């Protein structure tokens, strides 16, 4: 998967100590600079929606839960669900962190 | 599988498969043979060396010590999410230049001392478990949590949250999740989850009161006071108030503190694992009412009642009514005034 295949990325977070605090970060890929597009390409090469460890059911007390949705130019959006320290693959943390730092938040 | 030459002196050819670390740790903790313990400690050192973790494994040298011996290890996650990170300070080590390292070290030590002195409990598992913590988790990470094995602390983003090691009651709250894991094993969902959260708030607050030497009437009964970064025109007092649930914060970004203080306002929504951080306000207020009615140091009588119930009477699926019934029952051991206070406290919140 490459940045050119995507329309947008959306990260939403829940959990933690404050139940009402559920921020969402959204970014449209069209508006990215060439440098950021290259960064995103590097992160996307690791993405594997079938990777083991995804969609783990249980979370630790007070841990955050995340939903990262990749909306492509074709096909249905892909939503990856994970939580802090639930055994998910490391590339998800890297991609989610990048979205959080580069996107607009609600 | 990794093979290690000449480690084992009793296996044919002087070599054997490396024993898993958890088995070695059990050996260290259980054997009375100093030679066997020494070999197991050496083996752990070597395994740690192989994994680039030798310094971290040094903590095992403390294994097998008696009750009253703290074994703290603080790691620096260096803004990544892989745990535990690099060793920053271990038991007896000198103070770090990093404030959160020292706060995590001191806070986990205060928690250990509190549970030992107030309730006779030897660490999280009751058997001298190491207290491991990682600081600088993630980037601007707005949280702290217990991951089943260790504490994890974020630095906060500096806008909404400060660093999570700064609040002793938050450290106590998280470590109490570990105690619940080893005792009642309360499910983290719906009423059992709200009881799980409430127990962490109760003992987090008691830890703070114990450390400050406060009586129940002098305590603030706040959880995480000062953790939220103040902002003009908003209310950011704390994460929760046990005295007045629903009043800890009111802010455009955070929303309004949603905690109820009575069963008539119980939140049956599905988010937050069925309201574990919301409905915990109900048993929290019951504890506050019991403690202030009984009076004196809250860890002495009400704390002992709640501790006995958490560690011996609650189960994974326990409901609020179970906690109320069991604390009423245990309170009878402490005389009529305590029993009456606990009964009245639960009645006041609708249970």
């Amino acid at each position: 998967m490459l940045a050119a295949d995507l329309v947008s990325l959306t990260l939403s977070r829940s959990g933690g100590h404050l139940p009402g605090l559920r921020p969402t970060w959204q970014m449209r890929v069209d508006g990215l600079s060439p440098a950021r597009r290259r960064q995103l390409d590097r992160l996307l090469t690791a993405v594997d929606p079938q990777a083991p460890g995804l969609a783990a059911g249980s979370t630790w007390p007070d841990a955050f839960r995340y939903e990262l949705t990749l909306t492509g130019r074709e096909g249905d959006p892909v939503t990856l669900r994970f939580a802090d320290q639930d055994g998910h693959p490391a590339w998800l943390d890297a991609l989610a962190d990048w979205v959080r730092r580069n996107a607009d938040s609600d | 599988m990794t093979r290690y030459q000449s480690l084992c002196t009793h296996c044919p050819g002087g070599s054997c498969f490396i024993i898993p670390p958890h088995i070695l740790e059990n050996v260290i903790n259980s054997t009375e043979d100093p030679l066997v313990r020494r070999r197991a400690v050496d083996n752990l050192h070597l395994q740690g060396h192989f994994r680039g973790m030798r310094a971290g494994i040094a903590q095992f040298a403390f294994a097998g010590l008696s009750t009253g011996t703290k074994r703290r290890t603080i790691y620096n996650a260096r803004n990544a999410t892989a745990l535990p990170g690099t060793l920053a300070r271990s038991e007896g080590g000198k103070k770090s230049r990093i404030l959160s390292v020292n706060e995590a070290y001191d806070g986990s030590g205060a928690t250990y001392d509190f549970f030992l002195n107030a309730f006779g409990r030897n660490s999280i598992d009751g058997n001298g478990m190491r207290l491991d913590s990682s600081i600088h988790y993630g980037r601007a990470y707005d949280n702290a949590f217990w991951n089943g094995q260790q504490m994890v602390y974020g630095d906060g983003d500096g806008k909404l949250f400060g660093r999570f090691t700064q609040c002793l009651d938050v450290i106590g709250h998280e470590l109490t999740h570990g105690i619940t894991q080893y005792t009642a094993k309360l499910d983290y969902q719906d009423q059992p989850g709200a009881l799980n959260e409430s127990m962490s708030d109760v003992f987090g607050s008691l830890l703070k009161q114990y450390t400050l030497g406060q009586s129940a009437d002098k305590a603030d009964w706040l959880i995480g006071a000062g953790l939220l970064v103040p902002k003009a025109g908003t209310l950011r007092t704390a994460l929760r108030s046990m005295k007045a649930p629903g009043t800890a914060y009111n802010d455009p970004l955070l929303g309004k503190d949603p905690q109820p203080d009575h069963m008539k306002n119980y939140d049956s929504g599905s988010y937050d694992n069925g309201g574990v951080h919301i409905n915990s306000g109900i048993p929290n207020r019951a504890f506050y009412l019991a403690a202030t009615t009984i009076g004196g140091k809250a860890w002495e009588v009400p704390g002992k009642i709640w501790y006995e119930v958490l560690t011996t009477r609650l189960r994974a699926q326990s409901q609020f009514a179970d906690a109320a019934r069991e604390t009423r029952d245990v309170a009878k051991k402490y005389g009529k005034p305590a029993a009456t206070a606990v009964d009245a406290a639960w009645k006041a919140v609708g249970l």
Side-chain angles (χ1 to χ4, degrees):
Chain A
M1 187 182 295
L2 293 170
D5 302 323
L6 291 177
V7 176
S8 65
L9 296 103
T10 304
L11 175 70
S12 57
R13 191 187 77 196
S14 60
H17 284 269
L18 301 183
L21 185 60
R22 286 174 286 176
T24 298
W25 294 269
Q26 191 161 34
M27 70 184 331
R28 289 193 63 81
V29 175
D30 287 349
L32 292 176
S33 67
R36 284 192 175 170
R37 194 175 279 256
R38 282 194 296 275
Q39 289 175 352
L40 180 56
D41 275 338
R42 278 196 293 274
L43 292 164
L44 289 172
T45 55
V47 170
D48 175 10
Q50 308 304 320
L54 282 172
S58 61
T59 59
W60 299 112
D62 300 318
F64 284 144
R65 290 171 185 250
Y66 306 89
E67 285 190 5
L68 179 60
T69 300
L70 289 72
T71 304
R73 298 190 183 281
E74 296 177 4
D76 294 329
V78 174
T79 297
L80 307 170
R81 294 180 176 84
F82 58 104
D84 286 325
Q85 295 298 312
D86 68 348
H88 63 263
W91 54 260
L92 256 177
D93 281 333
L95 181 56
D97 183 51
W98 188 86
V99 172
R100 190 165 67 91
R101 288 187 290 118
N102 290 283
D104 299 321
S105 64
D106 291 339
Chain B
M1 186 178 288
T2 307
R3 290 174 71 87
Y4 182 68
Q5 298 290 324
S6 76
L7 171 66
C8 182
T9 56
H10 53 270
C11 289
S15 66
C16 65
F17 291 109
I18 284 177
I19 303 163
H22 67 277
I23 293 178
L24 288 170
E25 194 180 349
N26 280 341
V27 169
I28 292 165
N29 282 321
S30 60
T31 185
E32 293 181 359
D33 183 333
L35 181 60
V36 171
R37 181 182 293 131
R38 185 70 255 162
R39 280 182 177 164
V41 169
D42 288 346
N43 196 335
L44 272 169
H45 274 285
L46 286 160
Q47 289 193 25
H49 178 69
F50 277 12
R51 295 174 188 141
M53 292 172 59
R54 183 173 57 180
I57 295 299
Q59 64 197 282
F60 288 105
F62 296 98
L65 298 181
S66 60
T67 301
T69 305
K70 291 188 282 282
R71 295 186 295 152
R72 292 166 286 179
T73 312
I74 315 300
Y75 297 90
N76 186 342
R78 298 180 182 273
N79 300 117
T81 54
L83 293 176
T86 57
L87 181 68
R89 188 177 177 186
S90 56
E91 190 64 47
K94 67 177 184 182
K95 220 169 178 178
S96 168
R97 284 176 293 181
I98 303 171
L99 179 59
S100 53
V101 167
N102 299 324
E103 288 175 334
Y105 183 86
D106 293 342
S108 53
T111 307
Y112 178 91
D113 291 341
F114 167 64
F115 277 101
L116 180 66
N117 296 332
F119 310 118
R121 185 177 191 81
N122 185 15
S123 194
I124 298 295
D125 63 349
N127 197 30
M129 180 181 179
R130 298 192 322 272
L131 298 174
D132 292 350
S133 309
S134 294
I135 54 101
H136 289 337
Y137 180 82
R139 293 177 203 242
Y141 183 74
D142 280 338
N143 206 5
F145 64 98
W146 166 257
N147 83 341
Q149 296 177 319
Q150 67 157 92
M151 281 299 315
V152 182
Y153 299 102
D155 297 327
D157 60 5
K159 295 174 183 171
L160 282 175
F161 292 91
R163 64 185 188 286
F164 278 73
T165 49
Q166 70 183 287
C167 295
L168 182 60
D169 49 2
V170 172
I171 293 174
H173 172 105
E174 297 304 338
L175 287 167
T176 302
H177 280 308
I179 292 174
T180 299
Q181 174 185 320
Y182 279 95
T183 55
K185 300 178 173 61
L186 287 159
D187 284 351
Y188 203 62
Q189 183 74 34
D190 301 325
Q191 283 197 24
L195 279 176
N196 191 325
E197 275 299 314
S198 177
M199 288 294 178
S200 279
D201 281 352
V202 163
F203 292 102
S205 179
L206 290 182
L207 165 63
K208 185 167 73 172
Q209 294 173 40
Y210 175 85
T211 304
L212 295 172
Q214 288 178 325
S215 54
D217 61 324
K218 296 288 190 291
D220 64 11
W221 295 98
L222 295 169
I223 303 297
L227 180 61
L228 298 170
V229 176
K231 187 179 180 186
T234 70
L235 180 69
R236 295 181 176 183
T237 306
L239 298 175
R240 288 176 290 279
S241 168
M242 298 178 70
K243 178 180 180 179
T247 66
Y249 58 89
N250 191 356
D251 178 278
L253 287 171
L254 304 172
K256 184 185 180 306
D257 180 355
Q259 285 209 309
D261 63 0
H262 192 280
M263 284 301 285
K264 68 187 177 193
N265 296 318
Y266 185 89
D267 187 322
S268 300
S270 60
Y271 79 104
D272 185 36
N273 288 55
V276 297
H277 293 93
I278 300 171
N279 296 312
S280 55
I282 296 167
N284 274 1
R285 178 153 167 82
F287 183 83
Y288 159 79
L289 290 170
T292 50
T293 304
I294 292 168
K297 308 282 203 272
W299 61 88
E300 289 180 348
V301 173
K304 282 179 177 159
I305 295 168
W306 257 247
Y307 178 80
E308 181 174 340
V309 168
L310 172 66
T311 55
T312 67
R313 299 203 176 197
L314 296 183
R315 299 291 179 265
Q317 275 296 311
S318 291
Q319 307 292 302
F320 285 2
D322 299 318
R325 183 187 64 249
E326 296 302 329
T327 50
R328 281 178 168 121
D329 188 46
V330 173
K332 292 173 190 166
K333 296 183 185 177
Y334 295 90
K336 192 168 183 186
T340 303
V342 170
D343 178 54
W346 286 112
K347 280 180 179 159
V349 300
L351 284 156

